[in-house]
Amino acid sequence: MTKMKDSNYTIFLIGFMGCGKSTVSKELSRQFGLKIIEMDQLIAERERMSIPDIFSKKGEPYFRALETSLLKDLKTQTNLVVSCGGGVAMRRENVALMKEQGRIVLLTAKPKTILERVSHSDDRPLLKGRKTISEITGLLSARRPAYEAAADFCVTTDHKDASDIAVEIMGKLTCN
């Protein structure tokens, strides 16, 4: 494990569901000694209900407010890698909070790759009944401008090993 030289900031991994945020955050933690924050997992623990249950019982706006609140809570911490939910970067307030605290890395994947990665999961409320390449393409197209505007840089995850992606991210972070 290699420690980061300047780890007084946080790495925020953003992108569409199934792009590899959770997998890559684990690898960044393993290789570089960063503490992982899985936003969806932490929100579910705090609320004592699953993300699909939060969406169905309290609504998406409530869930999005929880994401913003969690980002505010993270302001006092450093040496983190945060695996953000797919919609975090859709709110300007969230992007501003992330920019204040660290660097934003957009992970991308092709719709076919995403479908392969999420096809067996029922924990994705926005894809309920919409697990097709055309539906994923439509959702991706709608989110892409916000993702790209938020990101400090982008890393494609298709057909790459998590270890290689982590090294690529750290290489870009140390060069920028």
Side-chain angles (χ1 to χ4, degrees):
M1 174 176 59
T2 305
K3 281 284 202 181
M4 284 177 47
K5 290 178 189 166
D6 176 16
S7 58
N8 294 327
Y9 62 90
T10 296
I11 300 168
F12 293 94
L13 300 179
I14 65 168
F16 198 72
M17 59 191 97
C19 284
K21 299 180 300 284
S22 295
T23 302
V24 172
S25 67
K26 289 174 190 159
E27 191 61 29
L28 284 165
S29 175
R30 187 186 73 75
Q31 285 190 38
F32 301 101
L34 302 170
K35 179 182 174 193
I36 299 173
I37 301 292
E38 279 283 347
M39 286 187 72
D40 285 354
Q41 179 183 337
L42 191 52
I43 288 170
E45 288 170 7
R46 287 180 172 185
E47 291 294 303
R48 293 188 174 99
M49 66 175 71
S50 69
I51 301 304
D53 284 347
I54 295 169
F55 267 70
S56 68
K57 293 177 181 174
K58 299 192 175 187
E60 185 176 355
Y62 178 83
F63 176 75
R64 299 302 175 198
L66 292 173
E67 291 176 323
T68 302
S69 177
L70 177 53
L71 287 172
K72 290 176 181 175
D73 292 347
L74 295 177
K75 284 178 91 166
T76 60
Q77 299 182 49
T78 58
N79 198 33
L80 303 175
V81 58
V82 180
S83 176
C84 298
V88 170
M90 303 310 293
R91 289 178 96 174
R92 286 187 191 148
E93 179 182 10
N94 292 349
V95 173
L97 286 165
M98 291 186 288
K99 293 267 187 198
E100 283 175 29
Q101 298 173 58
R103 305 290 296 280
I104 303 173
V105 180
L106 171 60
L107 299 182
T108 64
K110 293 178 180 159
K112 181 180 179 197
T113 303
I114 293 168
L115 181 60
E116 289 167 2
R117 292 176 180 171
V118 304
S119 63
H120 301 295
S121 171
D122 292 325
D123 294 336
R124 318 252 183 198
L126 293 179
L127 283 183
K128 189 174 184 174
R130 302 167 80 180
K131 287 184 189 170
T132 66
I133 288 179
S134 63
E135 289 285 351
I136 290 169
T137 299
L139 288 168
L140 252 175
S141 295
R143 289 185 172 192
R144 184 173 289 118
Y147 287 158
E148 291 175 353
D152 291 307
F153 61 89
C154 175
V155 174
T156 302
T157 65
D158 296 284
H159 312 295
K160 290 183 185 174
D161 182 79
S163 177
D164 294 335
I165 295 166
V167 169
E168 182 178 345
I169 289 169
M170 295 312 290
K172 288 183 177 188
L173 284 171
T174 56
C175 290
N176 292 329

